[in-house]
Amino acid sequence: MNKVLSIILAAGQGTRMKSDKVKVLHHVGGRPMVHYAVDNVAGFSSGTVVIIGRQGDLVRESLKGKANLKFIEQEQQLGTGHAVMQAREEIAGHDGPVLVLYGDTPLLREETLRELINVHQEKKAACTVLTTMLIDPTGYGRIIRDEADYIEKIVEERDASVEEKKIMEINSGVCCFDSNLLLEALANLDNKNAQGEYYLTDTIAYLNEQGEKVFPYLIDDFNEIIGINDRTHLARAERILRSRINEKHMENGVTIIDPATTYIDSEVEIGQDTIIYPFTYIEGKTIIGRNSIIGPHCRIRDSEIGEAVNILDHSIIFESKIGAKSNVGPFAHIRPGCLLEVEAKAGSFVELKNSTVGKGSKIPHLSYVGDAVIGQDTNIGAGTIFANYDGEKKYQTQVGDKVFIGSNTTLVSPVKIGDGGKTGAGSVVTKDVPEGTTVVGVPARKFDRKER
Ligand code: UD1
Ligand code: CA
């Protein structure tokens, strides 16, 4: 494939979204929709231009870190043709195909774009347009073919005659142009149409007038070209993307009991033989190992779950790491910054924040553990509270290996429980507990048998 210059149009107002946020930053599959366009072209483009307008700074910020991007501002949104004109210099400096696509079509596949460019090059076309057939083509530009089945022109809905409106083949908005011919066609655009805009689609009629060939590349999967204009489209795209993602995981050997109620973001990775129960959300950059069981009714975001982990009903895990063979839930809340090492447990109604739970250690029931480091093979009794906050500051608690914390203990941080230490039920620990020592009472003191 020759080097391709990609131009992504993302300057539109997105009025129909009725939103304070620019359309291309609305999320689909857990990512802003403009990211799909940028990522789809990254593999084959020598350079990518993103045309920005409304909230351009936010779009720029959202795409920070992506390679080979150039942002150009379209100050006034005078139409798709006008948007492409903003990249005039880049087009002039490029010898090879120019791919134009929109920031609001997140369901397009990279393979489709690659095929479009291949067809364009094989046919030596002036322009190749990605098209599809729609039972209800309302709102889209219609493809007018000539006798030889090339595209003669594209007519926008608002400018179409009654006859033209009956045409079911529509313009996806994705076109591949010869760079020199695109420049020439752009220079000849006008805005004499129903919307008073410079339409990119008018370049097609111009190229025909010059005796050039415009080739339609017709695809069957009309879902790919859904352009998101309003919130109904957004929900539809979300549903389609979700089922695509679920299918990919099922192909890879993941069991999804009910794909209709399983919500997995596009960047999630899941190992073979893991089972996902219904009503589960797996979001962001989450990685789940093999042979794990998740759900039902769980939510996991930006976390790493090891192999053979069991996450029971109604558990929430954010920005944390759960080691292999660990058990979480039911009703556990693992807040950001937690690490459960292998074979650890955070059981029913346990809340964990910014804490490490060592190998084989267990917090089986009804506890709050915040800012703690817990060693190995330690047991934290039911109802234990790590009082990490004195109203002004937060402090750390350290609990050693093979410690036994009695039910209903309060550990007032900062405090340290040495290896093998024990606390009696209901004790309030305010001072460090040395290794192998048992403390009881309020405030907790060294356990003395004579007192009993
Ligand atoms: C456009 C096409 C139509 C096609 C449809 C497919 C034109 C004239 N019409 O219509 O043939 O069937 O897409 O979805 O091209 N944009 C800018 N600057 C502007 C105007 C638009 O950057 O001045 C961007 C928008 O942000 C959007 C894209 O271009 O990402 C398409 O604009 P939109 O207004 O949604 O075009 P449609 O009316 O959907
Ligand atoms: Ca659109």
Side-chain angles (χ1 to χ4, degrees):
M1 201 188 276
N2 283 350
K3 56 189 176 111
V4 177
L5 170 68
S6 294
I7 302 176
I8 297 171
L9 306 192
Q13 293 288 330
T15 324
R16 289 165 282 181
M17 290 293 283
K18 303 225 170 79
S19 176
D20 290 338
K21 183 160 75 181
V22 63
K23 173 166 78 177
V24 294
L25 290 184
H26 279 259
H27 282 210
V28 181
R31 278 197 298 159
M33 58 177 110
V34 68
H35 284 228
Y36 290 85
V38 168
D39 292 348
N40 269 341
V41 302
F44 56 75
S45 301
S46 53
T48 301
V49 175
V50 184
I51 308 292
I52 51 175
R54 184 185 170 207
Q55 295 179 359
D57 290 343
L58 296 180
V59 176
R60 221 185 267 255
E61 177 66 26
S62 154
L63 289 166
K64 211 171 62 189
K66 305 250 182 210
N68 279 332
L69 284 192
K70 175 163 189 176
F71 295 91
I72 298 181
E73 194 168 332
Q74 183 193 20
E75 278 171 23
Q76 274 183 294
Q77 281 83 55
L78 303 179
T80 49
H82 182 259
V84 177
M85 278 182 213
Q86 311 309 307
R88 223 184 268 113
E89 273 177 38
E90 284 66 25
I91 301 167
H94 177 78
D95 189 19
V98 178
L99 180 72
V100 178
L101 67 165
Y102 301 159
D104 68 351
T105 47
L107 298 178
L108 262 176
R109 294 174 201 265
E110 181 178 340
E111 303 89 80
T112 306
L113 295 176
R114 284 178 182 271
E115 280 159 25
L116 173 79
I117 297 162
N118 284 337
V119 169
H120 175 77
Q121 290 181 326
E122 272 166 29
K123 300 279 171 189
K124 297 195 167 45
C127 172
T128 307
V129 180
L130 187 69
T131 72
T132 194
M133 304 293 257
L134 291 183
I135 293 168
D136 178 12
T138 312
Y140 289 93
R142 307 297 204 284
I143 302 291
I144 316 287
R145 293 199 184 206
D146 64 16
E147 300 87 49
D149 255 359
Y150 286 101
I151 305 182
E152 192 180 307
K153 58 177 178 174
I154 298 176
V155 184
E156 290 306 305
E157 171 89 26
R158 296 211 219 177
D159 304 292
S161 66
V162 176
E163 278 310 302
E164 286 167 336
K165 281 190 181 146
K166 290 182 188 153
I167 297 171
M168 288 158 81
E169 188 179 8
I170 60 101
N171 170 30
S172 68
V174 184
C175 312
C176 187
F177 290 92
D178 168 89
S179 56
N180 294 322
L181 290 170
L182 173 59
L183 270 187
E184 188 187 320
L186 288 174
N188 284 284
L189 278 188
D190 65 39
N191 61 355
K192 298 194 185 78
N193 50 53
Q195 296 191 81
E197 287 188 355
Y198 294 90
Y199 290 163
L200 181 65
T201 43
D202 283 348
T203 56
I204 309 303
Y206 173 82
L207 292 171
N208 270 280
E209 284 159 24
Q210 308 309 305
E212 299 291 344
K213 298 246 179 298
V214 178
F215 194 78
Y217 177 57
L218 176 70
I219 56 166
D220 293 333
D221 183 3
F222 50 81
N223 282 333
E224 274 198 57
I225 60 84
I226 291 178
I228 293 169
N229 295 329
D230 57 34
R231 310 260 181 168
T232 317
H233 296 156
L234 187 66
R236 215 166 105 209
E238 183 75 45
R239 198 184 66 231
I240 295 164
L241 193 71
R242 199 164 74 223
S243 64
R244 255 197 219 171
I245 292 169
N246 287 344
E247 276 161 27
K248 181 193 79 188
H249 290 296
M250 291 186 277
E251 275 165 29
N252 290 343
V254 176
T255 294
I256 297 179
I257 307 271
D258 181 19
T261 60
T262 303
Y263 305 79
I264 304 176
D265 281 353
S266 56
E267 291 173 291
V268 170
E269 294 170 33
I270 306 176
Q272 194 179 302
D273 288 318
T274 281
I275 303 174
I276 317 281
Y277 279 82
F279 299 101
T280 290
Y281 298 75
I282 307 174
E283 305 171 332
K285 291 196 195 322
T286 295
I287 301 176
I288 298 176
R290 298 162 73 110
N291 293 309
S292 288
I293 301 177
I294 318 282
H297 294 278
C298 286
R299 182 159 180 210
I300 304 173
R301 184 198 294 156
D302 293 325
S303 294
E304 222 175 283
I305 313 293
E307 297 192 357
V309 169
N310 200 356
I311 298 175
L312 287 171
D313 313 34
H314 296 279
S315 293
I316 299 171
I317 301 175
F318 287 165
E319 295 166 47
S320 291
K321 255 176 138 166
I322 310 294
K325 298 183 196 159
S326 288
N327 288 293
V328 175
F331 296 95
H333 186 187
I334 314 293
R335 292 166 52 197
C338 291
L339 165 66
L340 260 66
E341 288 178 3
V342 289
E343 292 166 5
K345 174 168 184 164
S348 19
F349 302 98
V350 168
E351 177 177 338
L352 238 67
K353 187 215 77 174
N354 190 32
S355 293
T356 298
V357 182
K359 177 168 184 263
S361 288
K362 298 189 169 42
I363 311 160
H365 342 263
L366 300 158
S367 291
Y368 171 66
V369 178
D371 302 312
V373 177
I374 299 172
Q376 300 186 3
D377 299 317
T378 281
N379 193 80
I380 309 286
T384 295
I385 304 296
F386 286 58
N388 62 329
Y389 184 48
D390 65 3
E392 280 176 21
K393 273 188 164 175
K394 303 221 164 125
Y395 303 93
Q396 212 198 40
T397 303
Q398 289 182 44
V399 178
D401 297 343
K402 296 193 165 66
V403 168
F404 180 89
I405 303 290
S407 291
N408 217 20
T409 294
T410 302
L411 300 171
V412 183
S413 355
V415 75
K416 202 172 154 185
I417 316 290
D419 292 350
K422 288 188 176 141
T423 70
S427 46
V428 175
V429 182
T430 54
K431 290 195 184 116
D432 289 357
V433 176
E435 252 185 68
T437 307
T438 301
V439 297
V440 295
V442 182
R445 282 172 294 126
K446 195 169 170 191
F447 179 56
D448 184 351
R449 281 193 181 275
K450 278 177 279 174
E451 280 181 26
R452 292 197 89 182

